[in-house]
Amino acid sequence: MANTSNTPAGRAARSTAGAAASNMGPAAARRTGPGAKQRIRQWGRNGGKGARGQDGGKGGRGRPPPQVPRPRQRRRPGEAALAEIRTMQKSTELIISKAAMSRLIREICQSSLGRKPEEDLRWTSPAIAAVHTAGEDYMTKIFESTNRLAIHAKHVTINHKEMQLAQKLCDE
């Protein structure tokens, strides 16, 4: 009996002996156990990763890449604005940022009291949040009234006179 275990021919014969029986390659010979053949059929030869070619690994199922990029879907004028209005009407969050409103509140407070900028008043965060909410509610009410007045005057765009009239009506 010849010792062929260490020769290159012996190694090749040993690695392909188990694979020849299943005809699945050397990696398939290592898969043993009760469901080995089922796993081989399910995954294929390379572990279920599919063919890796120029089609991005889709195995010939995908479309070829587009030659020219498609133009973006264009919306009609005003369609994006109406979609934004709908999303804002559904939400309950405040529109003006907290930092900007905080600066505005501090500035108005300092100017109304006649203080110097270095004599800053201290505000708690709930107080600023309350003034922020009240201010946005008031502005929303004014804009709604102004819009109603513009519709009553049979035009779409609001103007300065309607805004002043809405403020007078809301203050009363």
Side-chain angles (χ1 to χ4, degrees):
M1 184 166 140
N3 189 4
T4 59
S5 60
N6 252 352
T7 62
R11 284 191 295 253
R14 203 175 45 239
S15 67
T16 57
S22 64
N23 200 14
M24 290 290 172
R30 283 185 235 123
R31 295 187 190 119
T32 58
K37 285 193 176 186
Q38 183 180 4
R39 280 194 302 266
I40 293 169
R41 270 191 240 116
Q42 183 179 8
W43 295 338
R45 288 178 188 248
N46 56 358
K49 293 200 166 88
R52 300 282 190 214
Q54 289 183 342
D55 58 350
K58 293 189 179 177
R61 304 186 305 271
R63 286 187 251 137
Q67 300 297 325
V68 180
R70 292 182 183 172
R72 290 182 58 198
Q73 184 68 30
R74 189 168 157 78
R75 289 185 165 182
R76 289 188 220 126
E79 195 173 355
L82 288 172
E84 188 178 350
I85 288 169
R86 281 188 209 104
T87 56
M88 286 185 153
Q89 284 176 340
K90 286 178 188 173
S91 73
T92 57
E93 62 192 33
L94 298 171
I95 298 167
I96 303 170
S97 69
K98 290 180 181 179
M101 194 63 160
S102 175
R103 284 192 302 268
L104 181 66
I105 291 168
R106 291 172 197 276
E107 182 184 333
I108 291 171
C109 189
Q110 280 183 346
S111 65
S112 66
L113 293 176
R115 291 180 172 242
K116 297 175 188 171
E118 56 269 2
E119 298 175 5
D120 193 19
L121 292 174
R122 299 179 77 184
W123 286 77
T124 60
S125 59
I128 289 180
V131 174
H132 189 176
T133 307
E136 283 206 16
D137 285 343
Y138 179 74
M139 286 187 280
T140 304
K141 187 176 171 185
I142 293 292
F143 275 112
E144 285 175 352
S145 300
T146 305
N147 196 28
R148 273 194 234 108
L149 290 169
I151 291 169
H152 180 72
K154 294 189 170 47
H155 53 88
V156 179
T157 310
I158 62 173
N159 58 30
H160 187 65
K161 288 182 179 179
E162 291 163 350
M163 185 74 80
Q164 287 176 339
L165 182 59
Q167 281 179 330
K168 286 180 182 175
L169 291 173
C170 285
D171 288 341
E172 292 176 356

